């Protein structure tokens, strides 16, 4: 299988960046191919352009969108890695979804509505927040995120959501022990979902 790790954090020294690299290493150890798309590092422009919006005329996509879609054309698993800011994905990730997963890649127009184009492919997410897990759960933040982002994206594009693993209570001075626990859970998720079953 081929995985695209979509990282949406501005610091290459962040826990999110380390999660992305841990997932990459775990998937590669299982024999999979992995392409990490660090949205800040590649200076992705998240602003949807007027010409890219479907309307009476067919949308016209800029070169950066066409290049990214070509790079993702044979991806089997999309792994999103991002922090929650105001209980939502960072703007750069939302813009990535708007521009890359829209018409012409994620779905096509059809009789009776849009037709998903990514059926059979998978979505897994790893998120972090400073708020404790209990707060994220009890306030309904995670339920809302799953419905409005994961499930809507999956439903529109035909993806299958296989997991969303959240790490709450993350602080800037996280201990090595706590970070190691996070990485262990990332590796375990990769093995659980993509490892070869044993007889």
């Amino acid at each position: 299988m081929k995985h695209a790790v979509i990282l949406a954090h501005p610091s290459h020294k962040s826990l999110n960046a380390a999660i992305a690299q841990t997932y990459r290493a775990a998937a590669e150890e299982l024999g999979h191919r992995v392409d990490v798309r660090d949205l800040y590092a590649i200076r992705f422009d998240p602003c949807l352009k007027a010409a890219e919006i479907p309307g009476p005329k067919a949308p016209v996509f800029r070169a950066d969108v066409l290049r990214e879609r070509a790079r993702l054309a044979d991806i089997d698993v999309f792994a999103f890695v991002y922090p929650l800011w105001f209980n939502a994905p960072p703007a750069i990730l939302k813009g990535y979804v708007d521009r890359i997963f829209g018409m012409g890649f994620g779905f096509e127009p059809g009789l009776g509505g849009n037709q998903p184009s990514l059926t059979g492919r998978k979505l897994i997410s790893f998120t972090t927040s400073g708020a404790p897990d209990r707060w994220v759960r009890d306030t309904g933040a995670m339920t809302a995120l799953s419905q409005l982002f994961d499930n809507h994206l999956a439903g529109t594009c035909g993806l299958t959501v296989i997991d969303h693993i959240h790490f709450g209570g993350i602080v800037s001075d996280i201990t090595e022990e706590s970070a190691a626990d996070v990485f262990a859970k990332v590796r375990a998720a990769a093995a659980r979902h993509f490892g070869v079953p044993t007889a």
Side-chain angles (χ1 to χ4, degrees), residues 15 19 39 74 158:
L15 181 66
I19 288 171
L39 302 187
D74 61 346

Side-chain angles (χ1 to χ4, degrees), residues 5-168:
V5 180
I6 314 299
L7 171 62
H9 195 289
S11 173
H12 67 279
K13 296 181 179 180
S14 67
L15 181 66
N16 281 260
I19 288 171
Q21 292 304 326
T22 298
Y23 179 88
R24 175 183 191 168
E28 288 178 341
E29 287 170 7
L30 293 168
H32 301 269
R33 293 179 295 154
V34 183
D35 186 6
V36 176
R37 308 303 293 144
D38 183 336
L39 302 187
Y40 284 93
I42 66 174
R43 297 178 181 271
F44 180 76
D45 179 0
C47 297
L48 184 69
K49 313 308 175 189
E52 296 172 346
I53 301 173
K57 296 182 179 179
V60 178
F61 303 106
R62 293 195 176 185
D64 61 335
V65 170
L66 297 176
R67 284 194 303 270
E68 194 68 15
R69 288 179 170 184
R71 189 160 184 156
L72 301 179
D74 61 346
I75 293 298
D76 301 296
V77 181
F78 296 95
F80 288 0
V81 181
Y82 60 95
L84 299 190
W85 289 338
F86 288 92
N87 285 341
I92 198 168
L93 180 57
K94 179 58 168 64
Y96 187 84
V97 169
D98 289 345
R99 298 190 70 209
I100 304 303
F101 285 82
M103 183 180 292
F105 181 76
F107 60 87
E108 295 290 350
L111 295 176
N114 293 330
Q115 301 300 312
S117 299
L118 302 177
T119 301
R121 308 195 199 192
K122 298 173 173 58
L123 172 65
I124 184 171
S125 299
F126 299 92
T127 53
T128 62
S129 69
D133 284 329
R134 180 177 178 180
W135 187 92
V136 174
R137 182 186 66 248
D138 292 350
T139 59
M142 185 53 62
T143 299
L145 178 66
S146 295
Q147 288 295 329
L148 296 175
F149 193 66
D150 296 6
N151 294 345
H152 182 72
L153 173 63
T156 300
C157 300
L159 299 167
T160 299
V161 177
I162 60 170
D163 214 340
H164 187 138
I165 300 167
H166 181 72
F167 302 104

